[in-house]
């Protein structure tokens, strides 16, 4: 027999994965909660495209930033346009704000968005090439209370998911003028230790000295402690703004750690920046649940008009991971607590009516309509751990009744169809 080459099974792309049904309930729960909390605080939802023009990201994120230099998925269309899969949300949302005339709305405009983002990073625990974020942007206002509000929404979302022990690492990068002075000081400090710097940092010292503070290479990391703290170089305006942000956080009892060497990976940030961690996180560089800050200069840089703004990005997979570690289950409103067992052709037909009546009153019900035997349907009820079975047999179909069996006690009663529909919602509350 001629040698058949082994057929390779097509698989998913490295660093990108399927979200299977069980994980989807977690993912959806986190995004829904983030949306619910943000809506309470006045955010409306927006969605921007997954593909944007590459140039939209290059300047704001920084052409020497890791994201632009190494991680963007860039492509060229047949027509020659350079496009990129979005690596983050803020710049796109600011574009949408300008493109859709949102300056004429009452300011600030508060927006929530969620979806998939793409970065060509080395896949590892909590780091993927396609991942999800839930984002808040408050655009068109300078007030320190907006900074506090963004953090409030982030923390409240985590708290309502059951994640109570959270710490915010916070810093201010000052405004543009403050940073000019600070950069000089930083360069002077690192030049004294140039031999100890890694190859990338030797480049960063010329191109983007603030990034030196973000280097994870142990030698460079050790130098960070002795570096001048940004807080010593703040002008009056930035100092006052930051003090106000911290006062608001004190007022609402959100714990924070002042990290005067904290920087963020993207260039558009100025003034308040923060990252969020579980307070019991261990290890050298624990993965952040998210972060954010002010980007007051972004609008002017790209659209020629100053529009101060502040925002946050929550890493959904990271939050899911933490929920699992803490044994928190995603409460699902749609998880059925009843299973429909149908027996015989007449019951099978009637079952479609019963299902639709339950759907209309918002009662989720599981079923396996293509199975005919009682035993195979009961097997599924047991496997799914559903507490109530509604039995529609030949007799019930003729009488206009249903049998309702409590699967835990085995007690079964027969109810007229209308009475069953009228009372089932209240009775299911017993089964939390
Ligand atoms: P960043 O603005 O880059 O700090 O991203 C905000 C948050 O998104 C991070 O704190 C993470 O929680 C999450 N995140 C960023 N990059 C990734 C990635 N490659 N995989 C999974 N989550 C990520």
């Amino acid at each position: 027999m001629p040698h058949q080459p082994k057929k390779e099974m097509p698989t998913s792309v490295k660093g990108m994965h399927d979200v299977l049904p069980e994980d989807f309930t977690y993912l959806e729960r986190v995004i829904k909660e983030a949306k619910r909390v943000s809506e309470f605080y006045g955010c409306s939802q927006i969605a921007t495209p997954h593909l944007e023009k590459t140039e939209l990201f290059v300047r704001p994120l920084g052409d020497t930033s890791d994201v632009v230099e190494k991680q963007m998925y860039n492509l060229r269309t047949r027509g020659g346009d350079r496009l990129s899969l979005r690596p983050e949300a803020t710049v796109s949302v600011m574009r949408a704000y300008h493109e859709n005339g949102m300056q004429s709305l009452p300011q600030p405009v508060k927006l929530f968005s969620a979806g998939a983002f793409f970065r060509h990073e080395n896949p590892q625990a909590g780091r993927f090439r396609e991942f999800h974020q839930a984002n808040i942007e408050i655009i068109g206002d300078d007030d320190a209370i907006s900074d506090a509000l963004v953090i409030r929404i982030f923390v409240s979302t985590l708290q309502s998911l059951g994640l109570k022990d959270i710490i915010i690492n916070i810093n201010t990068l000052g405004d543009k003028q403050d940073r000019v002075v600070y950069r000089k000081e930083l360069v002077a400090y690192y030049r004294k230790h140039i031999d100890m710097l890694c190859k990338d940092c030797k480049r960063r010292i010329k191109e983007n000295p603030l990034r030196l503070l973000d280097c994870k290479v142990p030698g460079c990391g050790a130098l960070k402690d002795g570096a001048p703290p940004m807080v010593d170089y703040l002008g009056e305006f930035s100092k006052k703004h930051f003090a106000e942000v911290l006062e608001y956080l004190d007022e609402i009892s959100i714990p924070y750690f002042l990290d005067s060497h904290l920087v963020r990976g993207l260039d558009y940030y100025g003034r308040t920046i923060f990252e969020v961690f579980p307070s019991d996180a261990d290890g050298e560089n624990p993965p952040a649940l998210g972060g954010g800050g002010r980007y007051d200069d972004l609008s002017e840089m790209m659209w020629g008009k100053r529009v101060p703004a502040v925002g946050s990005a929550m890493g959904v997979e990271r939050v899911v991971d933490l929920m699992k570690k803490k044994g928190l289950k995603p409460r699902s409103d749609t998880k059925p607590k009843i299973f429909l067992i149908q027996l015989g052709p007449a019951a099978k037909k009637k079952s479609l009516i019963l299902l639709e009546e339950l759907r209309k009153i918002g009662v989720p019900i599981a079923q396996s309509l293509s199975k005919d035997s009682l035993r195979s349907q009961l097997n599924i009820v047991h496997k799914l751990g559903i507490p109530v079975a509604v039995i529609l047999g030949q007799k019930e179909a003729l009488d206009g009744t249903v049998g309702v069996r409590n699967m835990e006690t085995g007690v079964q009663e027969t109810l007229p169809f209308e009475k069953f529909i009228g009372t089932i919602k209240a009775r299911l509350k017993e089964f939390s």
Side-chain angles (χ1 to χ4, degrees):
M1 216 168 108
H3 174 72
Q4 292 270 332
K6 211 169 142 202
K7 215 171 171 188
E8 286 254 329
M9 289 268 283
T11 59
S12 60
V13 174
K14 185 177 170 192
M16 301 193 178
H17 56 270
D18 305 306
V19 183
L20 299 177
E22 198 212 330
D23 272 337
F24 210 96
T25 54
Y26 278 94
L27 201 86
E28 203 176 27
R29 169 93 176 96
V30 173
I31 293 176
K32 262 196 185 162
E33 201 53 42
K35 178 172 181 286
R36 207 176 58 81
V37 176
S38 72
E39 276 177 350
F40 174 83
Y41 282 103
C43 296
S44 317
Q45 192 164 3
I46 186 172
T48 58
H50 288 74
L51 273 176
E52 295 273 8
K53 292 181 182 157
T54 302
E55 69 198 44
L56 180 73
F57 299 113
V58 175
R59 263 180 76 206
L61 270 53
D63 44 12
T64 60
S65 66
D66 280 355
V67 175
V68 170
E69 258 191 350
K70 305 177 194 158
Q71 299 170 355
M72 285 225 291
Y73 281 89
N74 298 325
L75 62 98
R76 201 190 262 257
T77 65
R78 286 188 193 160
D81 294 337
R82 289 175 190 275
L83 304 180
S84 299
L85 277 172
R86 59 184 188 182
E88 64 99 59
T90 298
V91 188
S92 305
V93 174
M94 187 59 105
R95 177 197 52 65
Y97 171 92
H98 282 283
E99 204 169 319
N100 298 287
M102 290 192 220
Q103 301 101 305
S104 59
L105 299 175
Q107 305 292 303
V109 175
K110 299 183 199 157
L111 297 167
F112 167 81
S113 63
F117 295 86
F118 305 86
R119 294 184 193 176
H120 193 268
E121 298 195 69
N122 253 348
Q124 49 189 287
R127 201 166 283 287
F128 312 104
R129 291 182 173 174
E130 177 177 6
F131 57 98
H132 295 80
Q133 285 183 342
N135 305 286
I136 307 292
E137 320 289 344
I138 300 186
I139 305 179
D141 145 337
D142 251 326
D143 199 312
I145 202 157
S146 294
D147 306 39
L149 195 58
V150 163
I151 296 175
R152 166 80 280 170
I153 294 172
F154 201 117
V155 172
S156 294
T157 301
L158 294 176
Q159 286 173 340
S160 14
L161 290 168
L163 300 166
K164 312 273 181 211
D165 302 322
I166 297 302
I167 181 97
I168 311 291
N169 282 7
I170 193 164
N171 191 20
T172 177
L173 295 174
D175 60 24
K176 264 196 279 190
Q177 286 84 355
D178 304 337
R179 282 196 298 281
V180 171
V181 185
Y182 181 56
R183 252 189 225 109
K184 275 191 195 143
E185 291 300 320
L186 207 57
V187 169
Y189 168 77
Y190 277 105
R191 282 222 184 280
K192 279 191 239 153
H193 306 281
I194 193 109
D195 295 340
M196 292 167 72
L197 295 179
C198 71
K199 205 169 97 226
D200 278 342
C201 278
K202 283 186 177 136
R203 191 165 52 89
R204 286 180 184 128
I205 206 167
K206 292 190 204 103
E207 293 172 349
N208 196 337
L210 282 181
R211 281 270 148 65
L212 286 156
L213 294 169
D214 207 18
C215 184
K216 306 283 186 279
V217 175
C220 307
L223 285 175
K224 189 165 95 169
D225 290 340
M230 178 72 219
V231 67
D232 291 352
Y233 298 85
L234 297 177
E236 275 315 301
F237 186 59
S238 309
K239 209 183 271 177
K240 182 167 168 284
H241 186 272
F242 192 47
E244 280 173 12
V245 175
L246 300 182
E247 273 169 32
Y248 285 123
L249 294 184
D250 289 336
E251 191 65 34
I252 52 179
S253 304
I254 291 185
Y256 57 83
F257 170 71
L258 275 177
D259 178 354
S260 57
H261 292 131
L262 178 68
V263 285
R264 306 259 302 129
L266 311 174
D267 272 9
Y268 56 59
Y269 285 113
R271 294 208 273 172
T272 315
I273 51 163
F274 64 91
E275 286 190 337
V276 185
F277 295 91
S279 29
D280 55 1
D282 44 29
E284 270 283 284
N285 295 305
L289 299 173
R294 281 215 155 258
Y295 43 95
D296 294 337
D297 303 322
L298 167 64
S299 169
E300 194 165 9
M301 178 200 293
M302 296 298 283
W303 293 276
K305 183 167 183 271
R306 183 172 186 273
V307 181
V310 56
S312 69
M314 177 181 284
V316 177
E317 281 82 359
R318 304 250 176 112
V319 175
V320 167
D321 224 40
L322 188 60
M323 286 174 72
K324 287 184 180 170
K325 263 190 211 139
K326 303 263 174 206
L328 296 166
K329 294 261 182 268
R331 185 166 40 80
S332 165
D333 304 334
T334 51
K335 194 167 178 226
K337 291 180 202 154
I338 341 175
F339 190 97
L340 170 66
I341 294 178
Q342 38 73 37
L343 301 163
K348 201 162 180 163
K349 275 188 201 141
K350 274 259 167 93
S351 65
L352 291 174
I353 297 173
L354 176 72
L355 288 175
E356 187 57 13
E357 289 302 316
L358 289 170
R359 189 194 64 73
K360 282 188 205 153
I361 59 167
V363 174
I365 179 163
Q367 36 70 25
S368 184
L369 294 178
S370 55
K371 297 248 180 311
D372 291 328
S373 87
L374 177 62
R375 186 194 288 189
S376 59
Q377 292 181 73
L378 276 174
N379 271 344
I380 301 175
V381 180
H382 288 304
K383 253 192 204 146
L384 296 178
I386 291 181
V388 181
V390 177
I391 301 167
L392 192 55
Q394 223 36 1
K395 182 172 176 309
E396 286 85 359
L398 287 174
D399 292 353
T401 59
V402 290
V404 181
R405 184 189 294 189
N406 181 324
M407 296 304 295
E408 279 151 30
T409 60
V411 175
Q412 183 167 329
E413 58 184 317
T414 303
L415 292 177
F417 186 79
E418 283 74 24
K419 184 164 182 205
F420 165 73
I421 296 291
T423 56
I424 188 67
K425 211 167 177 173
R427 297 175 80 190
L428 280 179
K429 291 219 168 87
E430 293 161 34
F431 301 92
S432 59

